[in-house]
Amino acid sequence: MSGFVGVVVSDPSLQGQFTQVELRSLKAKFVSLKRDSGHVTTKNLPGLMKKLRGLNEVVSEEEIAAFLSESYPDSDQEIEFESFLREYLNLQARVSAKNGGAAAGAGKTSFLKSTITTLLHNLNQAEKSSYVAHINTYLRDDPFLKKYLPIDPSGNQLFDLIRDGVLLCKLINVAVPGTIDERAINKKRVLNPWERNENHTLCLNSAKAIGCTVVNIGTQDLVEGRIQLLADLNLKKTPQLVELFDDSRDIDEVLSLSPEKMLLKWMNHHLKKAGYKKTVNNFSSDVKDGEAYAYLLKALAPEHSPEATLDTKDPNERAKLVLEQAEKLDCKRYLTPKDITEGSANLNLAFVAQIFQHRNGLTSDIKQVTLTQTATRDDVLLSREERAFRMWINSLGVESYVNNVFEDVRNGWVLLEVLDKVSPGSVNWKLASKPPIKLPFRKLENCNQVVKIGKQLKFSLVNLAGNDIVQGNKKLIVALLWQLMRFNILQLLNKLRYHAQGSEGKEITDADILKWANNKVKASGRTSQMESFKDKSLSNGLFFLELLSAVQPRVVNWKVVTKGEEDDEKKLNATYIISVARKLGCSVFLLPEDIIEVNQKMILTLTASIMYWSLQKQPQSLSEMPEQSEASSMTSDAASDIASEDAASTTAPSEGEEVNSLSDSVSILTMDDATSNAPPAENGNGVAGS
């Protein structure tokens, strides 16, 4: 029920001019100005625009005001966000023309940007070549793709190969194996637009589920290799990383570090031991002279590190020697000496991550590191739920990026951002403190406001106080996040019914979702039913496959479905359900284990996601919604098992709210024209490969 993640504007051509990182930054600045001034006009906008990239120190506020007055002669006329974006682009173009096209880096983007993985456009040739090398290396033996590889980086073969979506899906599985069930990928020799669109939708929803942020979908979108390169930079995958920290560091604080920060910590750890006097704080200016690399390789692989590397005074020669040494460690050459000396942050990050993968130089003695060996079942469940909530929060398009829920929410700011997304206008930002927050009482103030808003939304927060969030009480944080997610889901469903029927009517409840799913399956001629969201019979997956087939008959290939009697069969069905749901257009964040073990929270979100997709694509299905009577309240059905835990309630949509705010939704991501206009293919064609 989430759209294209992040800040979404109504004009796709306008959205295509910006990366998601840029849009978020511009949106934050615009909202801040509007919050401080009440509204944005040509009177207060020039001061903001003067500070923007491409305009700073190039054009004066007076010139910006004169430019804006051409489009807005009334200085009191309010300017909306999309109009602001257009004026920014127009002003950039005018400045660029005035300066002979030398506007400061306009339009240039990168594919390993910020602390998130993003689908971006306009790769420069060096990054394109590096990315092609990544594909050629990791997919060269793939049974389906090997006939198309290796790709020539100098031509457009990469973009041609991406068109059917298979390569994108394969790359997701390279990054996090098993994310996509390949039976759900359409792999015919020639795919129709409908089938290509399904592959793209499957890829994009799966990308979100492993922590990617996607932006401005099109045939030239890429999923880069950052997730895979940094996959081992955490204590669960590489517990030896604990030796980088002293005993005073709280383990949750260590777990919350982003992969990039962990990589810098690891690099500086070895540089200090090797006698390097400086601290590396970034992968651009701090490494462009090659000295840090020379010391790092000397510490990790002294047998491949001649003194000449350190003795040479020429940065280009040193960079060349560094790459030669790295190749002896089997590091693939994804960058050139020029990329090092020019400080290409993206490629240098990938280079250091490769060195870490091949030789991290950490102790093999992990007697003191037992983070996962002693985990209880509750710990495992909490870990899975933390992952689901983390991916959900990051999919909402909030400005902050969450690496570890239990640590990152403790200052209250992220939770306030989430509340502002799911209940716009509920947060009093004048009383909130933005990170970094040094004073503990400021964190408590943020968290107290979170609890206050939660109670206003009728969440069940009897045992939760602001200090519990500050202290990182995991179970109480999970309980709060679950109510936030559920509130958002029900709110979105209520909006659909509200706008379709033209009246508020009864609010949709957990019981309504349960009844809708059962009615949908029954109407398709099948007999499966679920008694509640914790019905143990759901573990075989057959009910959800029948539900998916009921809302879109062609999406399930029954030839690959198992009976779900043995554990292995249940796992196959569960992975297939998740991939088929994502292929259909549902953005879900649960794992196969959540279906097999019937995690009622995740089962509810899966069902609601399918329901939302169905109602949005087939508005007539609203008539199939069971009318809620007094007897079907949230205390009547088996669905009340969840509702009674949190006693959450939803609010009717306020007048003027949009039905489907793509950046605010929880779990629907669909492609535009092909999904809505293309005729359905023959039943079974290309559903799971042929």
Side-chain angles (χ1 to χ4, degrees), residues 88-248:
Y88 177 34
L89 289 174
N90 292 337
L91 190 54
Q92 275 189 323
R94 181 173 295 193
V95 170
S96 179
K98 177 181 177 182
N99 296 337
K108 187 175 181 181
T109 63
S110 60
F111 78 93
L112 286 170
K113 195 167 186 177
S114 187
T115 58
I116 55 177
T117 302
T118 316
L119 301 181
L120 302 174
H121 297 300
N122 305 329
L123 299 178
N124 64 41
Q125 187 58 42
E127 290 174 339
K128 177 185 172 186
S129 298
S130 299
Y131 193 66
V132 166
H134 175 81
I135 294 173
N136 289 337
T137 299
Y138 289 98
L139 292 174
R140 62 188 175 193
D141 296 324
D142 181 86
F144 181 82
L145 292 174
K146 62 183 180 182
K147 58 187 174 184
Y148 304 108
L149 302 179
I151 299 171
D152 179 3
S154 64
N156 290 322
Q157 184 185 358
L158 172 63
F159 303 118
D160 294 336
L161 191 55
I162 282 175
R163 189 172 298 133
D164 66 6
V166 177
L167 174 61
L168 297 173
C169 291
K170 297 280 188 177
L171 283 171
I172 291 292
N173 278 347
V174 167
V176 181
T179 299
I180 295 177
D181 188 326
E182 294 211 7
R183 295 174 296 173
I185 304 174
N186 297 326
K187 292 185 289 189
K188 293 192 306 181
R189 190 173 186 85
V190 178
L191 301 180
N192 61 39
W194 180 277
E195 292 163 336
R196 287 200 300 269
N197 173 72
E198 285 183 332
N199 282 349
H200 290 150
T201 305
L202 171 60
C203 166
L204 294 167
N205 281 317
S206 300
K208 287 196 303 176
I210 63 172
C212 300
T213 301
V214 295
V215 121
N216 194 32
I217 291 84
T219 57
Q220 294 184 5
D221 293 329
L222 297 176
V223 178
E224 37 75 8
R226 172 189 171 278
I227 288 286
Q228 181 195 3
L229 288 171
L230 304 180
D232 293 336
L233 278 156
N234 60 74
L235 291 181
K236 293 181 179 180
K237 291 288 186 70
T238 311
Q240 296 93 333
L241 283 167
V242 77
E243 74 177 73
L244 304 182
F245 306 92
D246 58 52
D247 294 337
S248 66

